[in-house]
């Protein structure tokens, strides 16, 4: 039997034209894509002194130039007015801890304290404050961080480091941030990861509803990165022993 052959119909692939440029302020601390294809920028303006607290906004950005502010927060600035170069933060400073969910729910924390502000896309804003002791930085941890700065800068000792790096070491914080990261998933559920205890093998994630009700918690491997989920389950990318990431589903413990 001879198999028949039909010549495939060519597929026309359109060539995209030049993208429309969108002018954004210099102090952008983060971007998020939300439902409908809108882009949300976290804008943290410059300050008079690096590290000063300023008024920052989460703002939708469109090619037409129109925008909408989703949330206004207070946040430390890494920029000085007139300079395009951000100042390096002190050692053990928190990263910018914020997220915007698919439906425009916003969560933000300065991370030094367990203090998080949430701005749901529908409903009232709420704030979560938990009184937990900070984890102090041990001398060995400080020495290890300094050694890493020397190694990565490819110099012989601290005296050979660039001035801004020496300033980071001089202003090193005595305690770790209380919040490491947070995520807002598809249904507006807020997942919060406090800084793990010293020697911990897993990290606890606290889970809260869009309205601020505590749902429960999940213990995930330290390498886990949350990708998506709801108030009942979570999908996380977890590094295996061979450093190959695997997507794993976890249920929320109530």
């Amino acid at each position: 039997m001879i198999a028949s052959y039909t010549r495939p119909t060519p597929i026309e692939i359109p060539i995209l034209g030049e993208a429309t440029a969108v002018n954004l302020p210099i102090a952008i601390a983060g971007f998020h894509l939300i439902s409908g294809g809108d882009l949300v920028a976290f804008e943290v303006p410059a300050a008079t002194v690096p590290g000063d607290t300023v008024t920052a906004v989460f703002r939708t950005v469109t090619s037409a130039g129109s925008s909408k502010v989703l949330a206004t927060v207070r946040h430390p600035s890494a920029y000085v007015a007139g300079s395009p170069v951000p100042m390096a933060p002190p050692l053990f400073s928190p990263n910018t801890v914020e997220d915007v969910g698919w439906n425009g729910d916003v969560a933000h924390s300065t991370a030094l304290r367990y203090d998080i502000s949430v701005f749901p896309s529908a409903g009232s804003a709420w704030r979560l404050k938990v009184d937990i002791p900070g984890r102090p930085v041990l001398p060995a941890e400080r020495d290890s961080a300094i050694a890493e700065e020397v190694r990565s800068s490819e110099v012989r000792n601290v005296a050979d480091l660039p001035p801004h790096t020496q300033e980071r070491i001089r202003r090193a914080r005595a305690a770790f941030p209380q919040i490491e990261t947070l995520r807002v998933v598809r249904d507006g559920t807020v997942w919060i990861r406090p800084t793990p205890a010293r020697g911990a093998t897993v990290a606890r994630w606290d889970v809260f509803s869009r309205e601020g009700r505590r749902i429960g918690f999940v213990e995930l491997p330290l390498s886990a990165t949350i990708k998506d989920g709801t108030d009942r389950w979570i999908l996380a990318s977890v590094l295996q022993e061979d450093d190959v990431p695997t997507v794993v589903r976890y249920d929320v413990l109530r």
Side-chain angles (χ1 to χ4, degrees):
M1 179 177 179
I2 301 176
S4 61
Y5 172 76
T6 302
R7 183 179 180 86
T9 302
I11 299 175
E12 295 185 359
I13 301 176
I15 299 176
L16 298 178
E18 182 179 352
T20 302
V22 177
N23 294 321
L24 297 173
I26 187 173
I28 297 294
F31 284 113
H32 303 273
L33 185 66
I34 63 174
S35 177
D38 287 340
L39 189 69
V40 176
F42 180 36
E43 303 173 4
V44 183
T48 303
V49 178
D52 277 359
T53 300
V54 297
T55 299
V57 297
F58 290 85
R59 187 194 310 273
T60 58
V61 179
T62 68
S63 59
S66 60
S67 67
K68 175 184 177 182
V69 173
L70 301 181
T72 302
V73 299
R74 299 288 286 169
H75 192 84
S77 177
Y79 288 89
V80 177
S83 173
V85 181
M87 291 292 294
L91 287 182
F92 308 110
S93 290
N95 295 318
T96 297
V97 177
E98 48 84 21
D99 196 24
V100 181
W102 184 242
N103 292 313
D105 304 290
V106 176
H108 168 268
S109 176
T110 59
L112 284 176
R113 300 287 182 268
Y114 198 129
D115 187 352
I116 297 167
S117 297
V118 181
F119 305 85
S121 57
S124 301
W126 52 276
R127 185 176 180 183
L128 175 66
K129 297 179 70 175
V130 180
D131 185 17
I132 60 174
R135 181 158 81 84
V137 175
L138 295 180
E141 292 171 320
R142 187 177 188 276
D143 291 345
S144 177
I146 294 173
E148 175 58 25
E149 293 285 346
V150 171
R151 186 199 65 79
S152 61
S153 297
E154 299 182 342
V155 297
R156 293 176 300 175
N157 50 53
V158 173
D160 295 329
L161 288 170
H164 69 275
T165 305
Q166 294 188 39
E167 181 65 9
R168 290 191 69 207
I169 294 172
R170 186 187 69 80
R171 299 171 56 219
R173 298 189 182 278
F176 288 93
Q178 291 191 356
I179 298 293
E180 276 201 338
T181 189
L182 58 81
R183 289 281 284 113
V184 182
V185 296
R186 64 172 71 182
D187 62 355
T189 304
V190 181
W191 293 66
I192 305 163
R193 173 174 162 167
T195 299
R198 185 177 294 108
T201 58
V202 295
R204 186 189 84 245
W205 288 78
D206 299 325
V207 187
F208 292 83
S209 72
R210 173 187 273 134
E211 297 78 23
R213 174 178 54 86
R214 180 175 175 82
I215 297 173
F217 71 96
V218 175
E219 290 187 338
L220 303 180
L222 294 178
S223 68
T225 301
I226 288 179
K227 298 300 183 182
D228 195 12
T230 70
D231 61 349
R232 295 181 177 275
W233 54 269
I234 201 72
L235 291 179
S237 175
V238 180
L239 291 180
Q240 303 302 313
E241 294 181 357
D242 54 2
D243 288 336
V244 175
T246 301
V247 176
V248 183
R249 171 175 168 151
Y250 297 89
D251 292 329
V252 177
L253 302 177
R254 298 173 183 265

